[in-house]
Amino acid sequence: MRIAMRSIALACLLTSWSASAPAQAGTGRGRIVGKILDGTTGQGLADATIQVDGTGVAAQSGVDGRYTLTGVPDGVVTLNVRRIGFAAKRVTDIRVDGSRPVNQDVTLTEASFTLTTVQVTAEAEKGSVSEALDQQKVSMNVVSAVTAEQIAKSPDGNAAQTVQRVSGVTVQDGKFVFVRGLGERYTTSELNGARVPSPEPEKRVVPLDMFPAGLLQTITTTKTFTPDQQGDFSGALVDIKTREFPTRRAFSLQLNSGYAGGATGASLWSAQTVGGEQFAMAGSRRDLPKALREVGNFQGLNLSQADKNLLISQFRDAWTPGTTTAPPIAAASLSLGGNDPVLFGHRLGYLLSGSFSSATDLKDGQVRALADRGNTPGSTKEIDRFTGTTASQGVLWGGLLNLSTLVGEGSRFTFNGMYNRTADNDARVETGNFENEGIDAKITRMQYVERSVRSAQLAGEHQLGARQRIDWAATASGVTRNEPDRSEFVQQIVREGGTDLLRWINTSNGGAVRTFSSLDEQSAEGRANWQLTVPAGGREHTVKVGGLARSTTRNADTRAYAITAPGADNDVRELAPEQIFDGRFTAPGQSVLDIGPIAEGGSYTADDRLAAGYAMAEVALTGRLRLVGGARYESDHLVVHAASTLGAPVTTDKQWNDVLPSLALNVRLTEGQQLRFSASRTLARPEYRELSPITSRDVLNGDDTQGNDALQRTRIVNLDSRWEWYPSLDDVVSIAAFVKQFDKPIERVYRSAGSGTRTVFYTNADRADNYGVEVEYRKNLSFLGRIGDPYTVFTNVTVMESQITLGRDTKASATNLKRRMVGQAPYVINAGVQYVSRGGGTSATFLYNRVGARIDAAGDSPLPDVIELPRDVCDAALRFGVTNDVTVRLDAKNLLDAAYRTVQGTVTRESYRAGRTFQAGLVWRP
């Protein structure tokens, strides 16, 4: 509430400033700004002449096709646009008001033999360039885009929820993107065209749930490779672009609140806090105690009992979660942007935006278990079954500052700065049994994780005459992930005299554990591209060359300590954990407790240096055939230093040099139909942690995990084709087919072991194949007459299959040496219907998603694979205006509340329900 009141106060202040700012109303003269675009390639066209019909007002387009017309008379005007090699165009019905600038983009098509002028209305012309379908149509690649307008009309709260609406895209764990059934290692993410570091300790993939939807302009998913893209591209490239400044000064304030089914208003487990967790900025009391940091891994030290007591006393005495009444969902966002003269009349575009949201998530009816071989061959039976509940208090906030200015008509400079921060504070309590030990048990875990991502980018675009263009960007970015002071406490449930007693399992390394984990990654990237337009044969062709250099440094550290009490009697073991560790057993002279590091911990550093260069050409073979070809060279040098908690350090040094060719052909069948063909070679490099040959282990019933310094990079051959038909501005029908062949794909498999302990390790399989078909359909129902005009139906369906051959020299104990790739779903279905009123003031959207059964983890012989079962997801959103300045938002998510469920044979490995959520909010745009 305090945040909301402060936001409203700031809104009033900014509104007063906006109202008092100088206005142009009453001058009788206005301004038109926009871009001139090539209707075939989507690129900006320089040196186009734009003139207001019947006046002397005119301008030339500059960098990226941008233009500005000043002194335009108020009223309805017509623009005449001309450029050599393109058909002239007249854009009518542009309404100019001196109080605010008008944004008007114009697309030009290459001139035919009969040079006639094309005439369109301003409304139709805007529609052809402002929709996501236009980006898809003019791109040389196979792309899908989601725009800010579409995001605003959906109930999606972050980038991960938004991108799953794209054909062939699934999102795992609510954050990791899988495209065409491929695991997250095969999908790369960029922010404003630059690679984003990952805050995950064992992955280089970026969790997209860290990017608030309110800060996004577009999310573009590119599925085919061209040499100007980075080479570790195989599944897709997801490029997140932050919001751009508006043409005129604009302000908006949004406030939301909502109800989470099963959580809001209920009494739930709540993890203990030290202050600051509600803002993703936990206090220093969670930090690894200084004394424990100084003793390191205890090796070479002869610690006395007094020393051990001192170390144990340094931990917070926090083991058991409390309860709290879960508050409602809350969210707020604020933005201010414009394009104003700030220095001697020179204009600066700006956007300042921030958002904050908090919610309580509940995993209700949570079940987890392991599978063991059954009594008959091929059957499974359930062991180590636990049931319980996990409650999580989450927060996500972020802000951005974007600046842009034109220097003359030939240069544009931009600055994009962004910072996001998120935290989840989990409390989990469950009861069940350990089959091998023959005991019932209660497990209590408190886990707090905070993550941050930051990025600052300075970029420039320079038009050198009509034929040459240079663009460059320098980006500094970084991420952090801190998991300070995670606690696990395990108690045996003993039934005596009809009463259940809880006794600490005091002799196991998993009985009482504290874990401290941190990760920091920093990256600096610079890139530059030069493009030359070459006229030949009555058509225009382009040549493009460029280079990139990136330096990435990652530091990850995890330290875990087990506290035991081998000689403690039942009177001690039956005490509450906060009594056991309140100081009575660490006082001078006490010898009850013991402490030591466990192999769950470990640390590594990675230094990754990438240099790349490319050359490519786009050739207009005829008026209907365009060919894009070229190659990219990448040189990557990676050094990883790693050490387990109990072992010696190990260094892995890798040098990879690759040439990656690409060839694409676009065939324009008619004005609204085209065929695309693409062939390319890309690669996937091992993750940093996977190259470290150290062993770590989860605390509770976990598997040993070991890296492999002999891993090779994966080389992928990609073949794509797609037919597209755009019957109108809002309609599309497309059918795509794809084939991918993997040489030496990296898989997470189980190694055979003589003992009962399983070891997960990483290996290069022999090969894998991935293939499928994507169908997309979007249709406005105006053919039904006036009643159908406000409605649009849309769907995309992807059907795919894969097969991986592990080979017999991997020492794997996999059930199937030939199977689907981990993460591969046989199908993905997205569908929906949207209503938009004729005036545009009201919209309603209904969305449906279903992902087929996919392998969550490969089974180790003789057990089958672990399968995540399909679930149906339905969301709905309603937007309507109550005044000219205020819009109401109503959102409903997960309406069916289908259970999340993974199975292994007949055993349910994990199952829970997340609950339905309902939100209402107001958007104020004065």
Side-chain angles (χ1 to χ4, degrees):
M1 181 59 70
R2 289 196 301 269
I3 293 172
M5 294 301 294
R6 291 172 184 171
S7 299
I8 293 173
L10 180 58
C12 295
L13 178 62
L14 292 173
T15 305
S16 300
W17 168 77
S18 178
S20 63
Q24 296 179 344
T27 63
R29 297 285 174 173
R31 188 161 56 96
I32 303 177
V33 298
K35 295 173 67 176
I36 308 301
L37 302 173
D38 186 330
T40 302
T41 67
Q43 295 187 359
L45 292 173
D47 279 1
T49 301
I50 307 98
Q51 183 175 22
V52 179
D53 200 19
T55 73
V57 178
Q60 295 284 117
S61 61
V63 60
D64 206 21
R66 298 176 186 274
Y67 74 91
T68 300
L69 292 167
T70 58
V72 181
D74 283 0
V76 179
V77 300
T78 296
L79 292 186
N80 294 311
V81 185
R82 293 180 175 84
R83 190 182 188 274
I84 295 175
F86 291 81
K89 177 172 281 189
R90 285 171 56 86
V91 183
T92 64
D93 296 335
I94 301 173
R95 301 185 181 276
V96 178
D97 178 356
S99 64
R100 60 183 63 185
V102 177
N103 189 80
Q104 182 62 61
D105 295 341
V106 181
T107 56
L108 299 181
T109 57
E110 291 185 1
S112 58
F113 291 107
T114 305
L115 299 179
T116 59
T117 299
V118 179
Q119 180 165 316
V120 298
T121 65
E123 182 178 358
E125 182 64 15
K126 284 182 180 180
S128 68
V129 295
S130 64
E131 297 292 335
L133 293 181
D134 192 64
Q135 297 184 40
Q136 178 175 307
K137 180 179 179 181
V138 302
S139 173
M140 280 300 298
N141 299 311
V142 175
V143 304
S144 298
V146 182
T147 65
E149 182 180 356
Q150 292 169 298
I151 295 171
K153 292 178 180 178
S154 76
D156 300 330
N158 58 57
Q161 296 169 0
T162 298
V163 76
Q164 68 181 344
R165 312 296 181 187
V166 174
S167 60
V169 173
T170 61
V171 176
Q172 193 152 19
D173 298 331
K175 56 182 123 179
F176 300 122
V177 173
F178 283 39
V179 180
R180 291 175 167 174
L182 301 176
E184 69 267 13
R185 74 169 65 247
Y186 299 111
T187 300
T188 57
S189 300
E190 294 182 349
L191 179 66
N192 296 317
R195 185 63 54 87
V196 185
S198 171
E200 299 302 314
E202 297 188 0
K203 305 174 186 291
R204 280 192 290 180
V205 66
V206 180
L208 297 187
D209 63 334
M210 295 191 64
F211 300 94
L215 305 184
L216 308 180
Q217 180 69 26
T218 60
I219 301 178
T220 303
T221 304
T222 305
K223 300 177 183 176
T224 55
F225 171 75
T226 50
D228 55 348
Q229 298 167 332
Q230 299 192 34
D232 51 348
F233 172 116
S234 46
L237 168 66
V238 179
D239 187 20
I240 302 169
K241 291 192 179 297
T242 54
R243 292 173 55 194
E244 296 183 352
F245 61 88
T247 302
R248 61 185 181 90
R249 190 180 303 164
F251 167 80
S252 70
L253 171 67
Q254 180 174 314
L255 299 174
N256 280 28
S257 186
Y259 169 82
T264 303
S267 180
L268 303 178
W269 295 117
S270 176
Q272 295 189 39
T273 62
V274 300
E277 286 90 348
Q278 67 271 36
F279 300 108
M281 301 175 71
S284 60
R285 288 173 56 203
R286 280 188 173 271
D287 294 346
L288 177 67
K290 182 180 179 181
L292 284 150
R293 185 178 297 278
E294 289 177 349
V295 299
N297 61 8
F298 292 27
Q299 293 185 15
L301 300 177
N302 186 18
L303 297 178
S304 66
Q305 183 63 50
D307 294 330
K308 295 178 180 179
N309 286 347
L310 175 63
L311 293 176
I312 295 171
S313 67
Q314 302 301 302
F315 294 115
R316 284 190 311 137
D317 190 16
W319 298 90
T320 308
T323 58
T324 188
T325 301
I329 299 169
S333 64
L334 185 71
S335 66
L336 173 68
N339 188 339
D340 294 326
V342 295
L343 183 64
F344 304 112
H346 187 81
R347 289 192 166 271
L348 176 71
Y350 58 91
L351 176 66
L352 178 64
S353 184
S355 67
F356 177 91
S357 64
S358 64
T360 301
D361 296 323
L362 176 66
K363 292 182 179 179
D364 196 20
Q366 196 167 17
V367 176
R368 69 173 180 88
L370 296 178
D372 198 1
R373 67 183 69 187
N375 297 324
T376 59
S379 65
T380 56
K381 67 176 182 180
E382 182 182 76
I383 63 171
D384 294 0
R385 175 186 171 91
F386 282 82
T387 61
T389 299
T390 299
S392 175
Q393 284 76 43
V395 61
L396 169 63
W397 60 268
L400 66 85
L401 173 64
N402 289 349
L403 304 172
S404 177
T405 188
L406 288 171
V407 177
E409 292 297 328
S411 294
R412 177 175 181 251
F413 296 91
T414 61
F415 172 81
N416 298 310
M418 188 195 70
Y419 183 85
N420 290 337
R421 198 170 185 93
T422 180
D424 295 292
N425 200 14
D426 299 350
R428 178 169 178 164
V429 178
E430 56 187 356
T431 58
N433 64 83
F434 293 116
E435 191 84 9
N436 289 338
E437 292 80 2
I439 62 174
D440 294 332
K442 176 182 179 181
I443 300 175
T444 303
R445 171 182 287 182
M446 294 189 294
Q447 181 179 22
Y448 172 78
V449 179
E450 62 182 34
R451 301 171 295 171
S452 72
V453 57
R454 60 192 182 276
S455 175
Q457 181 185 84
L458 182 64
E461 304 167 72
H462 310 280
Q463 190 74 40
L464 309 177
R467 302 299 180 189
Q468 298 186 67
R469 183 175 181 270
I470 294 175
D471 66 86
W472 56 269
T475 307
S477 57
V479 296
T480 62
R481 182 187 187 274
N482 289 316
E483 187 180 351
D485 205 6
R486 184 178 76 190
S487 68
E488 284 103 0
F489 195 78
V490 185
Q491 297 165 292
Q492 181 181 357
I493 302 174
V494 181
R495 293 175 175 86
E496 292 184 355
T499 302
D500 286 349
L501 300 176
L502 295 175
R503 290 177 183 165
W504 174 29
I505 300 180
N506 59 317
T507 58
S508 167
N509 276 347
V513 176
R514 299 302 274 263
T515 305
F516 301 82
S517 178
S518 65
L519 179 146
D520 180 82
E521 182 172 329
Q522 300 183 46
S523 181
E525 178 179 302
R527 72 174 191 271
N529 304 287
W530 172 75
Q531 180 176 300
L532 173 66
T533 302
V534 181
R539 293 178 291 274
E540 292 197 339
H541 320 275
T542 59
V543 176
K544 190 175 181 182
V545 298
L548 176 144
R550 184 174 68 241
S551 173
T552 302
T553 301
R554 171 184 284 194
N555 291 282
D557 182 57
T558 298
R559 306 191 188 197
Y561 305 90
I563 305 174
T564 58
D569 57 25
N570 287 343
D571 289 340
V572 175
R573 295 174 59 198
E574 291 172 8
L575 292 173
E578 279 77 12
Q579 293 177 303
I580 296 174
F581 301 108
D582 64 1
R584 68 185 71 181
F585 298 118
T586 56
Q590 291 290 331
S591 58
V592 176
L593 303 177
D594 195 10
I595 183 173
I598 57 176
E600 182 200 22
S603 64
Y604 69 90
T605 63
D607 292 297
D608 194 359
R609 305 292 182 263
L610 176 73
Y614 73 90
M616 58 184 289
E618 181 177 340
V619 181
L621 300 176
T622 70
R624 295 184 180 274
L625 297 178
R626 300 189 73 87
L627 182 71
V628 178
R632 183 181 186 89
Y633 173 78
E634 289 197 351
S635 177
D636 186 58
H637 185 206
L638 171 63
V639 179
V640 180
H641 302 282
S644 67
T645 302
L646 304 178
V650 180
T651 298
T652 304
D653 193 319
K654 295 289 185 179
Q655 176 71 54
W656 292 299
N657 300 307
D658 293 280
V659 176
L660 306 171
S662 171
L663 188 67
L665 177 68
N666 281 11
V667 183
R668 183 158 58 90
L669 302 176
T670 66
E671 197 61 38
Q673 293 188 63
Q674 58 186 341
L675 283 172
R676 301 178 185 270
F677 302 95
S678 175
S680 64
R681 171 172 288 166
T682 56
L683 56 86
R685 302 183 182 95
E687 310 294 350
Y688 301 145
R689 172 61 181 85
E690 294 171 353
L691 287 167
S692 305
I694 62 174
T695 301
S696 61
R697 181 176 175 82
D698 286 340
V699 176
L700 301 171
N701 290 320
D703 301 321
D704 287 339
T705 301
Q706 185 175 34
N708 180 1
D709 58 353
L711 284 177
Q712 304 176 46
R713 68 193 178 287
T714 304
R715 297 180 181 181
I716 306 111
V717 174
N718 311 279
L719 301 174
D720 290 84
S721 63
R722 185 161 81 172
W723 168 75
E724 301 169 353
W725 179 32
Y726 300 89
S728 68
L729 295 174
D730 298 322
D731 298 344
V732 62
V733 182
S734 72
I735 301 174
F738 60 88
V739 176
K740 296 181 182 293
Q741 295 181 336
F742 298 78
D743 179 46
K744 303 298 183 184
I746 299 171
E747 282 286 292
R748 182 179 185 269
V749 298
Y750 287 99
R751 170 178 289 162
S752 303
S755 65
T757 301
R758 303 183 306 175
T759 299
V760 174
F761 77 113
Y762 300 93
T763 185
N764 288 109
D766 285 351
R767 58 167 294 164
D769 298 295
N770 172 260
Y771 49 91
V773 175
E774 294 176 339
V775 178
E776 182 179 7
Y777 179 78
R778 181 182 180 91
K779 178 65 177 175
N780 181 267
L781 302 185
S782 56
F783 66 91
L784 297 177
R786 185 176 178 83
I787 191 173
D789 186 61
Y791 295 93
T792 299
V793 296
F794 48 90
T795 185
N796 57 70
V797 178
T798 303
V799 179
M800 50 203 163
E801 189 52 81
S802 69
Q803 184 179 75
I804 189 165
T805 304
L806 289 177
R808 297 189 178 275
D809 59 347
T810 62
K811 301 179 183 178
S813 59
T815 303
N816 302 309
L817 294 179
K818 289 187 177 182
R819 54 164 170 76
R820 281 188 289 153
M821 300 175 75
V822 172
Q824 172 74 61
Y827 64 86
V828 177
I829 302 173
N830 287 298
V833 60
Q834 186 175 72
Y835 166 85
V836 179
S837 64
R838 291 177 178 82
T842 301
S843 68
T845 305
F846 179 82
L847 301 168
Y848 169 81
N849 171 263
R850 180 181 173 90
V851 179
R854 56 187 174 187
I855 297 178
D856 183 65
D860 56 326
S861 183
L863 299 175
D865 298 326
V866 180
I867 304 295
E868 180 180 338
L869 298 181
R871 57 188 300 267
D872 299 305
V873 180
C874 292
D875 303 325
L878 175 65
R879 309 285 185 266
F880 60 91
V882 292
T883 69
N884 290 335
D885 299 336
V886 178
T887 301
V888 174
R889 297 170 51 104
L890 300 175
D891 296 323
K893 299 188 65 177
N894 196 27
L895 289 170
L896 301 179
D897 194 20
Y900 292 86
R901 191 176 175 217
T902 59
V903 299
Q904 189 170 21
T906 58
V907 175
T908 297
R909 289 290 304 266
E910 185 175 20
S911 178
Y912 63 88
R913 293 182 185 273
R916 303 173 179 86
T917 62
F918 303 91
Q919 295 189 60
L922 296 175
V923 182
W924 178 39
R925 294 188 177 93

